[in-house]
Amino acid sequence: MAEQTFIMIKPDGVQRGLVGEVISRFEKKGFYLKGLKLQNVERAFAEKHYSDLSAKPFFSGLVDYIVSGPVVAMIWEGKNVVLTGRKIIGATNPAQSEPGTIRGDFAIDIGRNVIHGSDSVESATKEIALWFPEGPANWQSSLHSWIYE
Ligand code: DAT
Ligand code: MG
């Protein structure tokens, strides 16, 4: 199976009307949308998603933020999508994110950085299983050979 990553537009991104912009950047790059839902998550679910960070001092503030409104959860697929997705998103702290990245173009503070992306193939597998227990949608783009050689 082609590589997949988990991408989530955080509550600030939804509130600010950045959903279309984010989807557009991944689509235009040539990645394929394999899962998409808008939902509010429970605190326990957000804590599970960020369980690796549970010892961090910012953990409870991070969870407050993620449950503060609906998020858009997505599966994106394509060659090197995990690493390339992180590049499209930009550095964690928007003060360090390059212009041209999502966080570089649309965010100011680390606690309002608009978007999440899996940091490795292993975390992508775990995050997709958590957010999409039903699995990805099954479709193939008819443009594939115009994007991949
Ligand atoms: P990323 O989202 O780039 O993968 P991460 O996994 O290290 O970054 O942290 C998850 C989120 O937690 C991040 O998007 C914003 C928040 N965060 C990280 N480090 C922080 C810090 N030092 N202070 C406040 N929030 C932080
Ligand atoms: Mg992370």
Side-chain angles (χ1 to χ4, degrees):
M1 191 183 63
E3 187 171 303
Q4 295 181 334
T5 194
F6 174 70
I7 300 291
M8 171 181 64
I9 305 171
K10 296 176 178 179
D12 52 334
V14 174
Q15 293 288 343
R16 293 175 55 199
L18 296 173
V19 173
E21 175 74 35
V22 168
I23 290 176
S24 188
R25 289 184 179 212
F26 280 83
E27 269 185 333
K28 287 174 182 165
K29 174 68 174 169
F31 293 132
Y32 303 131
L33 185 60
K34 291 294 177 94
L36 174 71
K37 54 191 170 192
L38 173 81
Q39 63 180 144
N40 293 278
V41 296
E42 303 285 349
R43 220 178 158 81
F45 188 93
E47 286 170 353
K48 199 165 178 188
H49 170 76
Y50 279 124
S51 57
D52 289 355
L53 301 174
S54 60
K56 302 282 186 189
F58 57 82
F59 183 69
S60 72
L62 175 61
V63 172
D64 289 342
Y65 162 47
I66 295 304
V67 303
S68 66
V71 299
V72 174
M74 294 174 280
I75 302 169
W76 285 93
E77 184 178 288
K79 190 194 277 183
N80 287 322
V81 69
V82 172
L83 186 62
T84 305
R86 293 282 294 189
K87 289 183 183 164
I88 290 171
I89 288 170
T92 303
N93 187 341
Q96 266 100 53
S97 314
E98 296 295 330
T101 65
I102 292 169
R103 287 167 174 166
D105 289 350
F106 302 116
I108 299 284
D109 278 340
I110 195 166
R112 298 289 184 272
N113 65 1
V114 173
I115 184 165
H116 165 85
S118 308
D119 62 7
S120 66
V121 171
E122 191 194 1
S123 14
T125 304
K126 270 166 53 181
E127 291 170 1
I128 289 168
L130 176 67
W131 287 83
F132 290 91
E134 69 276 27
N138 180 25
W139 72 285
Q140 305 303 326
S141 169
S142 57
L143 295 178
H144 190 81
S145 62
W146 293 106
I147 300 169
Y148 291 85
E149 55 180 19

